[in-house]
């Protein structure tokens, strides 16, 4: 019964259900303009392995011809699985049901890998949304996976090593190989290799072949470590790999392990030049018969060579003991008017290097400075630097270039004597003047021509011509030139005839005066310095050699270690050292013992070139080994500090200025060496304070040693001191007087102008102090003087080291200040003699106390009583004399200085009045001790007044006077 009911219900609802279903008459269609061989729609796409969406051409879409209901829509796409092609890592994502547009994407958590599979082919179908749904025909999809450069290249080896010989060029030293994990043709290959290490003489090609771009030198680099990377065609770089290239030394005959430079610190003594040197001989079968080594030190690095410009030429002559009678024909422009228009080399006046242009500048030496007449004995010396002229050829004779010429001053152009350069010859001319008719017939030497290379080499050389007629000697750089027929030519000539036309002669430098033409000719082009003339005697060989001595040289102290068959030698200047031997080991040992030494305390810093030349004789054939070039670098030494100190204020009564004052009577000059490089020169505003501080230091600390400073009193010479007057001196009534006799004995020179005084020439510091302390200042009209400022400064080594500026202020006191005193003060002043008497009594009492101590009480009572009695007596006497004196002082004539009687005068005076003469006496006595001369000080006073006049005798009584500097306000 139940079954019948169910059937009835189904029969009743079946027509209703059938009426609600949609019609789905057509299958979906997947469209593509391309079909495969089977007629299926074909889609092609590509995707990079690191992307997720396939670039499909054409785009995937489908349509359905049904027009109503869900049958007209596309609901999904399905990828048909294929057992042969494996898993498909794609899904199709529907984008639009109406158009059926869809895209193919990589399935989530899936990743494409070109190296595993580069192509995918699969079939798809589309399903519409009908009920029931219908399926489309099959379509074919082809997807190409594109490779990504995901792998960097890797080298086959973790590092590379190669050995090369120096001096050889290679086409391939080592081949580097790298590979890439990518499999596509675009990224699989290695397209480039690159050296990352900069500035190396190597290169590498795209195939990995490494080669050198220039011959390698073992002495420059013994090995190279290169950093190399490889790049694939996608420009992806590998990690760097290191390539170690070792340079093998090519056996090369010559010296090895010789340093290219040797630093030298002043004061360090001897320093070895090649303490690790070794001599390498590479010729097979060569047993040396002789090994000759010559080491040369170039000392012509600055100035006139060999560090000789430490002091001026004048100072050098003084230090070498040259004759003081020698006359400087080219003095400093500050000392001579005729050299002021000559240009000095580099503008350094103190160097006294004068430049001559060869066509315009020449000077005449005044006959008051040097008498032109010479006799049979004299020495001419000069420093000269000359280069050959390029304005003449072999067809034309070289012009004469006169260094020195004495010729007729008028009407005629005869050359009496001269010194000149003529091409490659250095010529000295001396035409004698006959003194009798017999001498007119005597043919004697008149011209000496030396053919020497030094005259045109462009270097500084010292030339000295010593004449003991008829013998003439030429010294070059301190060495006597031994003449021969090739180097010296002597020309004889007649004596000069006397002429009434010529009344005077001219001595010129830099050209020759032609008196007949009234003009200069034969100009000199070059540099001159220290041109001096010594008459009636010749300079000693020792002095000439000293002027060229070099305090820096090579040295050797291993003579005791030498074996037989080996010899060493020096040249006279010790700038060339030679070794001769057979055994290589022995020559090496001697070479290592050669040292450089510089004995100067303050050598000029800079480079001194060294050259080592070696010759080896094998089988009778000499072979020159490569020359070794090195140098010694002399470093800047700590600079000395020259300090001047003393009393900076000098207050005196006006009559003392007329008598003369020793303005620097207590000056102190000392030098210390500051180890640290500190600028110690005070600023202008601080000079006063610095001078006072220096004075205190000079009194209390000059003999103390500290870690920072070293006393250099005996280690440095002063070569110049200048006293500058501000304002300039008016020479009509004021001047500075110098101890000229003392300075002449010491070999010091000086110059005086209204600006002040300059003392020059190198000497010990204590001698300069003695001179400066005895310089007097005079003022003939002291009534117009209020104050005067004088500044002292000193220097050493041609202004290389300069002291502080020490200023002294002179103050003139025109009258004694009248100080009003109370009655008790006057009484105390008047009782000064009584106090003196008391002091005498006290002194006697004290002595008595020592002898008889037991009677001390009685002695004390007696002393007091006697003292009181004397006080009352003397007080009365003084009051009577004071009243009498007041009546006499008014009658003194003011125009007559010092007419009063000193015994009747009792006034208060400046306590420094007596101090001046005490210092003068002591200073003069000290001066005589220092100079070892009989100078009596008379040369101190140019105006003829004597400084030995007795000063007014004024009782000082050992007590403080009633006024002092503080009361005057100075």
């Amino acid at each position: 019964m139940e079954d019948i009911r169910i059937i009835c219900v189904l029969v009743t609802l079946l027509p209703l259900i059938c009426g609600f279903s949609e019609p789905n008459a057509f299958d979906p269609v997947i469209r593509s303009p391309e079909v495969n061989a089977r007629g299926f729609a074909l889609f092609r796409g590509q995707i990079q392995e690191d992307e997720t969406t396939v670039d499909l051409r054409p785009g995937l879409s489908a349509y359905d011809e049904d027009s109503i209901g869900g049958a007209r829509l596309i609901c999904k796409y399905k990828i048909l699985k294929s057992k042969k092609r494996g898993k498909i890592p794609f899904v199709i994502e529907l984008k639009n049901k109406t158009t059926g547009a869809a895209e193919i994407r990589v399935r989530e958590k899936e990743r494409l890998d070109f190296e595993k599979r580069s192509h995918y082919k699969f079939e798809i179908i589309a399903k519409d949304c009908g009920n029931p749904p219908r399926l489309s025909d099959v379509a074919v999809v082809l997807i190409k996976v594109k490779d990504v450069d995901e792998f960097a290249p890797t080298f086959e080896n973790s590092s590379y090593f190669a050995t090369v010989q120096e001096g050889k060029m290679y086409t391939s030293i080592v081949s580097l190989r790298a590979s890439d994990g990518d499999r596509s043709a675009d990224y699989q290959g290695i397209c480039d290799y690159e050296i990352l290490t900069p500035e190396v003489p190597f290169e590498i090609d795209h195939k990995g072949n490494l080669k050198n771009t220039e011959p390698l030198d073992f002495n420059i680099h013994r090995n190279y470590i290169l950093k190399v990377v490889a790049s694939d065609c996608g420009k992806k770089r590998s990690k760097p790999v290191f390539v170690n290239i070792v340079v093998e030394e090519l056996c090369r005959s010559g010296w090895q392990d010789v340093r290219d430079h040797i630093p030298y610190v002043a004061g360090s003594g001897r320093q070895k030049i090649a303490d690790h040197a070794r001599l390498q001989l590479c010729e097979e079968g060569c047993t040396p018969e002789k090994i000759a080594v010559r080491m040369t030190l170039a000392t012509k690095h600055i100035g006139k060579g060999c560090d000789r410009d430490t002091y001026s030429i004048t100072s050098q002559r003084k230090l070498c003991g040259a004759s003081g009678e020698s006359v400087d024909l080219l003095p400093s422009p500050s000392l001579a008017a005729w050299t002021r228009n000559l240009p000095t080399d580099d503008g350094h006046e103190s160097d006294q290097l004068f430049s001559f242009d060869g066509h315009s500048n020449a000077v005449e030496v005044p006959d008051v400075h040097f008498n032109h007449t010479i006799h049979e004995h004299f020495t001419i010396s000069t420093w000269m630097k000359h280069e050959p002229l390029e304005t003449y050829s072999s067809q034309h004779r070289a012009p004469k270039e006169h260094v020195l010429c004495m010729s007729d001053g008028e009407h005629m152009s005869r050359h009496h004597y001269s010194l000149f350069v003529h091409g490659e010859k250095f010529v000295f001319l001396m035409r004698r003047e006959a003194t009798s008719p017999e001498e007119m017939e005597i043919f004697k030497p008149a011209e000496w021509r030396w053919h020497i290379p030094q005259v045109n080499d462009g270097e500084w050389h010292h030339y000295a011509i010593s004449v003991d007629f008829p013998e003439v000697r030429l010294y070059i750089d301190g060495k006597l030139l031994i003449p021969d027929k090739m180097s010296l030519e002597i020309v004889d000539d007649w004596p000069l005839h006397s002429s009434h036309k010529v009344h005077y002669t001219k001595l010129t430098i830099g050209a020759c005066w032609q008196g007949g033409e009234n003009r200069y000719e034969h100009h000199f082009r070059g540099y001159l310095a220290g041109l001096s003339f010594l008459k009636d005697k010749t300079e000693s060989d020792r002095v000439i050699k000293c002027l060229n001595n070099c305090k820096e040289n090579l040295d050797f102290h291993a003579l005791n270690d030498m074996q037989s068959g080996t010899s060493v030698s020096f040249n006279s200047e010790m700038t060339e050292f030679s070794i001769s031997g057979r055994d290589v080991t022995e020559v090496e040992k001697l070479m290592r013992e050669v040292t450089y030494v510089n004995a100067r305390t303050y050598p000029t810093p800079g480079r001194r070139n060294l050259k080592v030349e070696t010759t080896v004789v094998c089988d009778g054939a000499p072979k020159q080994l490569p020359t070794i070039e090195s140098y010694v670098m002399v470093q800047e030494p700590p600079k000395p500090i020259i300090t001047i100190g003393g009393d900076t204020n000098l207050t005196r009564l006006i009559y003392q200025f007329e008598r003369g004052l020793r303005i620097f009577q207590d000056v102190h000059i000392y030098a210390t060496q500051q180890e640290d490089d500190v600028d110690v020169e005070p600023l202008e505003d601080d000079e006063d304070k610095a001078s006072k501080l220096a004075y205190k230091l000079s009194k209390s600390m000059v003999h103390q040693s500290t870690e920072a400073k070293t006393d250099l009193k005996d280690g440095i010479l002063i070569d110049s001191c200048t006293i500058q007057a501000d304002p300039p001196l008016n020479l009509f009534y004021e001047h500075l007087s110098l101890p000229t006799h003392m300075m002449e004995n010491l070999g010091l020179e000086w110059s005086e102008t209204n600006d002040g005084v300059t003392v020059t020439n190198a000497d010990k510091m204590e001698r300069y102090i003695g001179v400066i302390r005895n310089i007097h200042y005079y003022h003939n009209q002291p009534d117009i003087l209020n104050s005067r400022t004088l500044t002292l400064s000193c220097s050493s080594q041609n202004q290389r080291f300069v002291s502080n500026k020490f200023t002294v202020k002179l103050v003139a006191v025109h009258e004694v200040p009248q100080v009003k005193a109370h009655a008790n003060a006057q009484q105390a002043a008047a009782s000064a003699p009584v106090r003196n008497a008391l002091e005498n009594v006290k002194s006697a009492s004290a002595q008595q106390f020592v002898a008889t101590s037991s009677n001390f009480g009685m002695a004390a009572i007696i002393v007091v009583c006697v003292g009181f009695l004397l006080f009352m007596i003397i007080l009365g006497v003084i009051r009577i004399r004071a009243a009498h004196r007041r009546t006499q002082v008014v009658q003194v004539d003011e125009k007559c200085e010092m007419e009063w009687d000193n015994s009747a005068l009792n006034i208060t005076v400046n306590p420094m009045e007596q101090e001046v003469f005490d210092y003068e006496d002591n200073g003069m006595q000290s001066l005589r001790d220092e100079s070892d001369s009989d100078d009596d000080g008379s040369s101190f006073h140019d105006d003829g007044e004597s400084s030995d006049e007795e000063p007014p005798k004024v009782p000082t009584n050992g007590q403080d006077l009633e006024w002092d500097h503080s009361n005057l306000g100075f």
Side-chain angles (χ1 to χ4, degrees):
M1 190 65 181
E2 287 293 331
D3 292 338
I4 294 174
R5 288 180 180 177
I6 292 172
I7 292 172
C8 290
V9 171
L10 290 174
V11 172
T12 304
L13 294 176
L14 183 60
L16 182 60
I17 295 172
C18 292
F20 281 105
S21 63
E22 297 179 353
N24 190 356
F26 301 97
D27 293 333
V29 177
I30 301 175
R31 293 181 297 181
S32 175
E34 185 180 1
V35 296
N36 64 0
R38 297 167 55 190
F40 294 155
L42 182 62
F43 294 90
R44 298 180 185 274
Q46 62 182 8
I47 182 174
Q48 289 187 354
E49 59 181 341
D50 59 346
E51 295 178 344
T52 58
T53 302
V54 179
D55 183 12
L56 203 61
R57 304 290 176 85
L60 180 59
S61 63
Y63 71 93
D64 198 305
E65 293 184 354
D66 293 305
S67 58
I68 59 173
R72 61 184 178 83
L73 304 175
I74 304 301
C75 275
K76 64 183 296 187
Y77 290 91
K78 184 177 181 182
I79 297 175
L80 302 180
K81 295 182 179 180
S82 174
K83 294 181 180 180
K84 295 181 179 181
R85 294 188 176 91
K87 182 179 180 181
I88 306 299
F90 298 101
V91 295
I92 302 175
E93 183 177 338
L94 182 65
K95 296 296 184 180
N96 192 319
K97 291 184 177 182
T98 302
T99 61
E103 62 181 12
I104 301 177
R105 299 177 62 85
V106 178
R107 192 186 305 275
E108 188 176 357
K109 296 184 180 180
E110 294 284 347
R111 185 180 179 279
L112 302 180
D113 190 343
F114 175 85
E115 286 70 30
K116 293 182 179 180
R117 186 171 179 180
S118 58
H119 294 82
Y120 290 90
K121 180 179 180 181
F122 51 88
E123 297 175 345
I124 62 174
I125 58 174
K127 181 189 292 185
D128 63 15
C129 296
N131 189 12
R134 300 177 68 101
L135 302 177
S136 68
D137 292 334
V138 174
V140 178
V141 177
L142 298 177
I143 298 177
K144 180 181 179 181
V145 178
K146 295 175 65 177
D147 192 15
V148 175
D149 191 7
E150 58 181 324
F151 295 102
T154 57
F155 284 95
E156 295 178 356
N157 299 326
S158 58
S159 63
Y160 292 84
F161 179 85
T163 302
V164 297
Q165 286 186 349
E166 65 170 335
K168 184 178 179 180
M169 297 296 295
Y170 291 82
T171 57
S172 178
I173 297 175
V174 63
S175 295
L176 282 70
R177 295 291 180 265
S179 60
D180 196 291
D182 297 301
R183 292 293 176 263
S184 66
D186 294 337
Y187 306 120
Q188 186 177 18
I190 304 299
C191 290
D192 191 24
Y193 291 88
E194 181 182 0
I195 300 174
L196 299 182
T197 307
E199 299 179 359
V200 290
F202 299 94
E203 65 181 13
I204 189 170
D205 60 17
H206 68 282
K207 294 182 179 180
N209 297 318
L210 182 70
K211 63 180 181 179
N212 56 324
T213 58
E214 62 183 47
L216 305 179
D217 191 338
F218 176 81
N219 295 320
I220 299 177
H221 283 291
R222 300 189 178 187
N223 76 300
Y224 294 86
I225 298 178
L226 310 179
K227 186 186 291 186
V228 182
V229 295
S231 300
D232 60 18
C233 298
K235 304 301 180 182
K236 198 159 193 174
R237 281 184 170 186
S238 67
K239 292 183 178 180
V241 67
F242 291 95
V243 181
N244 189 1
I245 300 176
V246 176
V247 181
E248 287 186 344
E249 182 180 11
L250 182 64
C251 188
R252 186 183 306 159
S253 297
W255 288 100
Q256 308 294 326
D257 297 335
V258 177
R259 290 181 288 177
D260 58 352
H261 75 282
I262 302 96
Y264 186 85
V265 179
S268 59
R270 301 182 186 91
Q271 186 162 330
K272 292 184 178 181
I273 294 173
D275 48 350
H276 296 93
R278 56 187 180 89
L279 182 58
Q280 186 170 267
L281 300 178
C282 300
E283 287 73 12
E284 295 183 1
C286 172
T287 301
E289 301 171 6
K290 180 181 179 181
I291 303 174
V293 182
R294 185 177 68 172
M295 178 181 293
T296 305
L297 173 67
T299 59
K300 299 178 180 178
H301 49 283
I302 58 173
K304 298 178 292 300
C306 195
D307 208 1
R308 294 188 184 94
D309 56 352
T310 301
Y311 293 102
S312 67
I313 296 173
T314 307
S315 293
Q316 292 174 33
R317 291 183 56 81
K318 176 180 179 297
L319 295 174
C320 286
S323 174
E325 300 176 18
S326 179
V327 179
D328 188 0
L329 301 184
L330 281 177
S332 173
S334 63
L335 303 176
W338 67 90
T339 60
R340 289 176 185 172
N341 294 327
L342 283 178
T344 55
D345 184 35
D346 298 330
H348 299 303
E349 178 184 314
S350 59
D351 290 342
Q352 300 176 354
L353 309 181
F354 295 96
S355 174
F356 295 85
D357 57 15
H359 58 81
S360 65
N361 57 344
V363 296
E364 177 187 355
V365 181
D367 54 2
V368 295
H369 180 74
F370 178 76
N371 189 339
H372 303 169
T373 305
I374 61 173
H375 300 95
E376 295 183 347
H377 306 280
F378 56 87
T379 297
I380 305 174
S381 61
T382 185
W383 285 92
M384 185 178 75
K385 178 181 178 182
H386 182 265
E387 295 180 355
L389 293 175
E390 300 176 356
T391 56
Y392 69 94
S393 60
S394 58
Q395 292 80 13
H396 298 84
R397 295 185 61 186
K400 295 180 180 179
E401 301 179 63
H402 275 76
V403 174
L404 175 72
C405 180
M406 198 276 269
S407 59
D408 294 332
E410 58 181 349
H411 303 305
M412 301 181 70
S413 299
R414 298 175 304 168
H415 297 182
H416 296 252
Y417 59 86
S418 62
L419 186 64
F420 59 91
V421 176
H422 192 193
E424 297 179 353
K425 294 177 290 185
F426 194 52
V427 184
F428 173 65
L429 169 70
M430 186 175 71
R431 298 288 304 279
R432 297 173 298 106
E433 296 185 9
T435 58
S436 65
E438 291 77 13
E439 287 191 359
M440 291 299 304
E441 305 299 327
I442 301 176
F443 209 49
K444 289 187 177 181
E447 191 170 325
W448 291 260
R449 303 171 181 172
W450 292 277
H451 296 256
I452 51 178
Q454 292 91 338
V455 74
N456 284 323
D457 64 1
E459 300 287 345
W460 279 103
H461 295 285
H462 184 263
Y463 302 88
I465 296 177
S466 284
V467 177
D468 291 303
F469 190 82
E471 182 186 1
V472 176
R473 301 179 300 277
L474 174 63
Y475 297 82
I476 302 178
D477 296 330
K479 293 183 290 186
L480 176 63
L481 180 66
I482 306 300
D484 54 34
K485 294 182 179 180
M486 299 298 295
S487 63
L488 176 61
E489 177 185 1
I490 302 176
V491 179
D492 295 338
D493 204 346
W494 301 105
L496 289 177
H497 293 263
S498 60
S499 175
H500 298 290
K501 295 181 180 181
V502 179
H503 298 89
Y504 64 94
T505 58
K506 283 192 176 184
L507 179 61
T508 57
I509 300 173
C512 198
W513 176 256
Q514 301 296 103
E517 303 169 6
N518 200 30
R519 64 175 181 176
Y520 284 107
E521 284 191 0
H522 311 306
H523 286 81
F524 173 75
R525 185 175 72 90
Y527 298 91
L528 296 176
L531 178 57
S532 62
F533 209 122
L534 177 61
K535 292 175 55 176
D536 301 326
K537 64 173 65 175
T538 57
E539 203 73 83
S540 68
D541 294 352
R542 179 192 60 79
V543 171
I544 296 175
K545 183 178 180 180
C546 174
L547 291 172
N548 293 270
N549 275 346
C550 193
K551 288 194 175 182
E552 56 177 334
N553 53 264
L554 301 176
D555 205 353
F556 181 78
H557 288 270
L559 295 176
N560 296 331
D561 299 333
M562 294 173 55
Q563 297 180 359
S564 60
T566 305
S567 64
V568 297
S569 63
F570 274 105
N571 67 343
S572 59
E573 298 176 352
M574 297 191 71
T575 56
E576 291 185 3
F577 178 71
S578 299
I579 304 173
S580 180
R582 295 181 180 179
D583 184 73
V584 174
T585 304
E586 179 67 13
V587 172
E588 287 178 345
K589 183 175 70 173
L590 298 180
M591 180 72 172
R592 294 167 185 168
E593 296 299 323
V594 182
T595 60
Y596 168 83
V597 62
N598 195 319
R600 293 190 179 275
T601 307
Y602 301 101
T604 303
R607 173 172 173 160
R608 279 71 162 163
N609 291 332
L610 280 168
K611 183 168 64 174
V612 180
E613 299 170 294
T614 308
T615 302
V616 178
V617 179
C618 285
D619 299 328
K623 179 181 179 181
Q624 187 74 28
L625 301 184
T627 301
I628 301 297
E629 300 284 349
S630 181
Y631 62 92
V632 177
M633 180 57 71
V634 179
Q635 300 177 358
E636 179 78 31
K639 294 183 179 180
I641 305 168
I642 304 174
T643 306
I644 305 176
D647 194 353
T648 58
N649 289 284
L650 202 62
T651 303
R652 294 292 185 268
L653 294 174
I654 57 174
Y655 74 88
Q656 293 181 277
F657 287 89
E658 193 170 9
R659 294 181 177 182
L661 293 176
R662 289 197 299 143
I663 47 180
F664 301 107
Q665 58 187 0
D666 61 346
V667 73
H668 293 272
I669 305 176
Y670 64 96
T672 57
Q673 181 170 291
Q674 191 77 26
E675 295 184 358
D676 297 328
D677 188 10
V678 180
D679 186 6
V680 298
E681 185 173 352
L683 299 175
E684 293 184 0
D685 295 339
D686 296 334
E687 286 177 359
D688 227 15
K689 296 179 180 179
S691 299
K692 294 179 179 179
L693 178 60
Y695 177 63
K696 293 180 179 179
L697 289 174
S698 67
K699 291 292 187 180
S700 60
M701 300 180 64
V702 68
H703 299 296
Q704 297 181 11
S705 60
T706 63
E707 295 182 358
K709 294 185 178 181
T710 305
D711 191 0
L712 303 176
K713 181 179 180 180
D714 298 327
I716 188 171
L717 299 180
I718 298 295
D719 60 8
S720 176
C721 281
T722 300
I723 299 176
Q724 186 77 24
D726 183 23
L729 298 170
N730 189 326
L731 299 180
F732 287 104
Y733 49 77
E734 61 176 340
H735 69 278
L736 294 172
S737 178
L738 307 177
T740 54
H741 183 67
M742 176 183 183
M743 292 192 292
E744 289 174 354
N745 291 337
L746 296 177
L748 301 180
E749 297 183 358
W750 63 92
S751 63
E752 301 177 67
T753 65
N754 60 342
D755 290 326
V757 172
T758 299
V759 183
T760 57
N761 278 0
D763 211 324
K764 292 183 178 180
M765 195 175 298
E766 58 187 17
R767 293 183 176 178
Y768 261 91
I769 294 174
V771 170
I772 293 171
R773 287 181 177 179
N774 284 280
I775 295 177
H776 287 65
Y777 170 77
Y778 286 87
H779 200 294
N780 297 332
Q781 299 180 19
D783 292 337
I784 65 173
L785 176 65
N786 290 322
S787 64
R788 150 67 64 192
T789 299
L790 296 170
T791 301
L792 170 66
S793 62
C794 296
S795 65
S796 178
Q797 299 189 14
N798 276 338
Q799 301 292 319
R800 185 178 175 190
F801 309 123
V802 182
S803 72
N804 62 306
K805 292 183 179 180
F806 173 71
T807 301
V808 172
K809 186 175 182 181
L810 307 177
V811 179
V813 180
H814 290 263
E815 61 180 4
V816 179
Q818 298 297 327
V819 181
K820 293 183 179 180
H822 297 288
N824 56 352
Q826 295 177 358
Q827 182 179 0
S831 63
V834 179
R835 287 198 298 270
N836 287 339
L838 274 173
E839 292 296 329
N840 295 332
V841 174
K842 289 179 180 179
S843 177
S845 301
Q847 295 176 1
Q848 185 179 5
F849 173 78
V850 174
T852 56
S853 58
S854 59
N855 296 326
F856 174 77
M858 183 62 69
I861 295 173
I862 294 173
V863 167
V864 172
C865 293
V866 173
F868 181 78
L869 179 61
L870 289 175
F871 172 79
M872 295 303 294
I873 295 172
I874 295 175
L875 179 59
V877 173
I878 287 177
R879 287 182 176 179
I880 295 173
R881 294 184 64 182
H884 179 67
R885 184 171 57 250
R886 282 194 296 271
T887 63
Q888 289 182 343
V889 170
V890 179
Q891 300 174 1
V892 175
D893 187 356
E894 295 180 356
K895 296 181 180 180
C896 298
E897 183 180 2
M898 297 181 64
E899 288 188 1
W900 57 78
D901 182 8
N902 292 336
S903 61
L905 180 63
N906 187 14
I907 63 173
T908 305
V909 297
N910 189 332
M912 288 185 286
E913 177 183 341
Q914 181 67 26
E915 182 183 1
V916 171
F917 294 96
D918 290 342
Y919 272 119
E920 286 182 353
D921 293 339
N922 294 337
M924 292 171 64
Q925 180 63 40
S926 174
L927 180 62
R928 288 192 289 271
D929 294 341
E930 291 178 359
S931 64
D932 296 326
S933 69
D934 297 328
D935 183 16
D936 59 357
S938 60
S939 60
F940 297 171
H941 313 293
D942 295 341
D943 56 2
E945 294 186 11
S946 174
S947 63
D948 297 331
E949 182 180 351
E950 287 293 333
K953 297 186 178 182
V954 180
T956 57
N957 303 324
Q959 300 296 327
D960 294 335
L961 300 176
E962 293 183 352
W963 57 273
D964 56 15
H965 293 281
S966 60
N967 294 333
L968 293 176
F970 296 123

